[in-house]
Amino acid sequence: MERKLFAELIKWKDRAGHKPLLLLGARQVGKTWLMKEFGRRCFDNVAYVNCDAEPLAAHLFTEDYDIDRILFSVQTITGVKPEAGKTLIIFDEVQQVERGLHSLKYFAENAPQYHVVAAGSLLGITLGRGESFPVGKVDMLHVYPMDFGEFLFANAPQMYDVLRDGDWPLVETFASKLKEQLRQYYFVGGMPEVVADFVANHDQARVRQLQQNILNAYRNDISKHTTPTESMRIGQVLESLPSQLAKENKKFIYGAIKKGARAKEFELAIQWLVDAGIVCRVHRVKEIRMPVKFYEDLSAFKLFLIDCGLLGCMVGASPKQMLVGNNVFTEFKGAFTEEFVMQQLVAAGLRPYYWSSETTPAEIDFVVENEDAVIPIEVKAEENVRAKSMATYIGSHPDDHLHGLRFSMKGYERQDWMTNVPLYAITKLLSEKF
């Protein structure tokens, strides 16, 4: 498989004055594979230490921060002598060992010639609880599930080439094949282990089993790292997501968790899931203007699961529902399609928001900002694209010079106020940075 983030790793390796690199991301998004494969391709050798599974790692950093001693211990554990510029030193699950994260500061200050990369499945939780962090002494990259383009490259590389190299008429020629791949992505999602197994075997039952294993691992992490009360509340939030996303208005409603639920009761549970990378929180904005964050409304938000395949597994959506015909695009009030678009935006490094009116039912599904503009985005699961919210908003704000995006099943079309892009071509558009 190939990951687009690989190019960022190479840039980090070649950058003068690089710092230790920290990979952030949820469990099973491919951090370990990415680090090892990066080491295999780009270095003479790899010194890999799993700080969770290796008993000797427990005391690797507790005695002191003497880099020579730590490097000698790494050599003892791995059998690889670290050499500057030739060895990639990996500390996996670094949050599991005392002072592991803080040690990266001393690599940055006292041994900048070495290439050190660290990762952990619950690093966001560790940082959220105030553990010592080497502020300003590390570079950071976020790892997300594979996007639709990466899935295409693995499962149907010829279709990936159509999107990458073709013009819009060529993309339209292959629309039926691209729609078929889109259905498969909705079902499989982007968790690398699931994608790799599907590409090798195309076993639908196996896909669901692997996805269930990941969900079980998330639940185990919740129970392992929280109190019983916290665990129960986090679990309730997680289990409420499908019903929240199936609503016409997908704003998160605490009352949908249980009758009488209040924000103060569940806000820490939501934050835990966000910090663990299991969900993505999309806040409302009051105005669609730059900089978007100035207009953020912290009291209103949507919650999405990290991966559309995991969402399908959670709701028990059968292969028949998702892989045959257009059911997956029409069922669940477009929940899968909105989840899919959110996942692609986040994987592209964009921070999505949404807009809704305080006085009318009008809503714009997503709002993103790039270097040049703020872009309202409308998401439609079918070819029927009747909706007035975005057109009305843009028409009533002529001085803001907004140009909207609509993702739907219709072909590519550019109008004065809006561009329609097929859902199956979202990778092409995002790679062009709009």
Side-chain angles (χ1 to χ4, degrees):
M1 294 192 301
E2 291 292 333
R3 300 299 306 268
K4 294 176 181 177
L5 202 58
F6 211 90
E8 297 301 317
L9 294 175
I10 293 173
K11 290 179 184 177
W12 170 78
K13 175 183 182 292
D14 296 337
R15 186 183 305 138
H18 68 269
K19 304 171 185 177
L21 178 64
L22 196 56
L23 297 186
L24 299 169
R27 180 187 290 276
Q28 297 291 330
V29 293
K31 298 183 298 296
T32 299
W33 179 88
L34 196 58
M35 292 186 296
K36 287 183 173 180
E37 186 68 7
F38 174 50
R40 186 185 70 81
R41 294 188 195 180
C42 299
F43 291 84
D44 292 348
N45 48 49
V46 177
Y48 174 82
V49 180
N50 187 323
C51 296
D52 187 31
E54 172 54 61
L56 294 176
H59 306 289
L60 192 55
F61 310 104
T62 55
E63 183 177 335
D64 54 43
Y65 292 118
D66 181 81
I67 296 300
D68 288 336
R69 180 194 62 79
I70 293 172
L71 290 174
F72 191 77
S73 298
V74 167
Q75 180 181 352
T76 302
I77 293 171
T78 65
V80 175
K81 183 180 186 300
E83 296 183 71
K86 296 182 178 181
T87 304
L88 180 65
I89 302 168
I90 299 175
F91 297 120
D92 206 355
E93 299 294 346
V94 68
Q95 83 285 349
Q96 296 290 353
V97 294
E98 186 180 351
R99 306 207 300 183
L101 274 174
H102 195 61
S103 72
L104 300 178
K105 170 184 176 180
Y106 297 93
F107 275 99
E109 292 178 346
N110 302 329
Q113 68 273 27
Y114 288 93
H115 287 84
V116 179
V117 60
S121 57
L122 291 175
L123 272 175
I125 300 300
T126 302
L127 303 182
R129 291 185 170 173
E131 302 212 6
S132 183
F133 182 75
V135 177
K137 301 297 182 180
V138 294
D139 296 320
M140 289 187 286
L141 285 175
H142 287 267
V143 185
Y144 299 104
M146 298 171 70
D147 67 15
F148 183 52
E150 290 170 319
F151 174 83
L152 273 182
F153 189 86
N155 192 53
Q158 68 280 14
M159 290 297 99
Y160 176 84
D161 291 340
V162 167
L163 284 184
R164 183 190 62 186
D165 301 328
D167 55 18
W168 287 112
L170 180 63
V171 170
E172 184 69 22
T173 300
F174 288 92
S176 61
K177 291 185 179 296
L178 286 164
K179 287 180 183 178
E180 179 183 357
Q181 292 298 315
L182 184 60
R183 292 186 194 94
Q184 292 183 18
Y185 182 82
Y186 276 32
F187 178 71
V188 176
M191 304 305 276
E193 180 187 11
V194 183
V195 173
D197 193 275
F198 177 76
V199 170
N201 304 304
H202 284 81
D203 186 331
Q204 298 167 8
R206 176 68 176 164
V207 165
R208 281 293 187 245
Q209 183 58 60
L210 290 172
Q211 291 166 338
Q212 189 60 58
N213 291 347
I214 294 171
L215 290 172
N216 290 341
Y218 289 164
R219 295 184 178 104
N220 289 339
D221 280 340
I222 293 168
S223 61
K224 180 180 177 181
H225 295 279
T226 60
T227 67
T229 299
E230 290 173 333
S231 178
M232 179 185 68
R233 289 175 178 170
I234 294 168
Q236 287 175 313
V237 172
L238 191 60
E239 294 305 318
S240 78
L241 282 187
S243 62
Q244 301 269 4
L245 292 174
K247 296 189 282 86
E248 198 71 49
N249 177 1
K250 295 176 176 58
K251 174 187 173 182
F252 190 85
I253 303 296
Y254 288 96
I257 302 175
K258 68 173 186 178
K259 187 176 181 179
R262 297 173 179 266
K264 65 179 182 180
E265 189 179 1
F266 288 95
E267 58 188 4
L268 291 180
I270 291 173
Q271 189 62 51
W272 195 99
L273 289 166
V274 171
D275 288 342
I278 297 172
V279 303
C280 178
R281 179 165 47 195
V282 176
H283 280 288
R284 176 181 175 270
V285 289
K286 298 177 182 179
E287 297 285 344
I288 304 179
R289 294 178 178 173
M290 296 180 72
V292 176
K293 194 164 179 62
F294 277 4
Y295 304 95
E296 184 176 20
D297 177 6
L298 296 176
S299 67
F301 58 91
K302 303 176 184 179
L303 277 190
F304 294 89
L305 203 59
I306 186 179
D307 178 67
C308 59
L310 294 182
L311 178 63
C313 179
M314 183 179 284
V315 303
S318 69
K320 184 177 180 180
Q321 278 181 297
M322 302 195 72
L323 296 172
V324 178
N326 290 323
N327 289 344
V328 70
F329 306 127
T330 58
E331 298 288 347
F332 310 111
K333 296 183 172 62
F336 280 112
T337 300
E338 201 164 327
E339 165 81 26
F340 164 77
V341 171
M342 183 283 306
Q343 189 172 340
Q344 309 314 300
L345 294 173
V346 170
L350 297 166
R351 181 173 182 176
Y353 298 86
Y354 79 99
W355 173 86
S356 64
S357 171
E358 296 177 320
T359 58
T360 69
E363 180 176 310
I364 295 175
D365 298 308
F366 294 109
V367 176
V368 297
E369 183 178 2
N370 62 16
E371 294 179 358
D372 304 314
V374 58
I375 303 109
I377 297 175
E378 190 174 75
V379 176
K380 296 296 175 186
E382 305 176 67
E383 289 193 21
N384 181 356
V385 293
R386 290 184 181 178
K388 297 181 179 180
S389 294
M390 187 165 72
T392 300
Y393 187 96
I394 292 176
S396 62
H397 294 76
D399 294 340
D400 293 341
H401 305 291
L402 295 171
H403 186 86
L405 271 176
R406 182 175 64 209
F407 294 112
S408 74
M409 279 302 179
K410 287 179 67 70
Y412 178 83
E413 179 184 6
R414 186 174 179 86
Q415 302 177 23
D416 290 340
W417 64 278
M418 180 273 299
T419 298
N420 186 89
V421 176
L423 283 160
Y424 50 79
I426 190 170
T427 294
K428 173 177 170 58
L429 182 81
L430 294 179
S431 66
E432 295 173 349
K433 304 296 184 185
F434 302 147

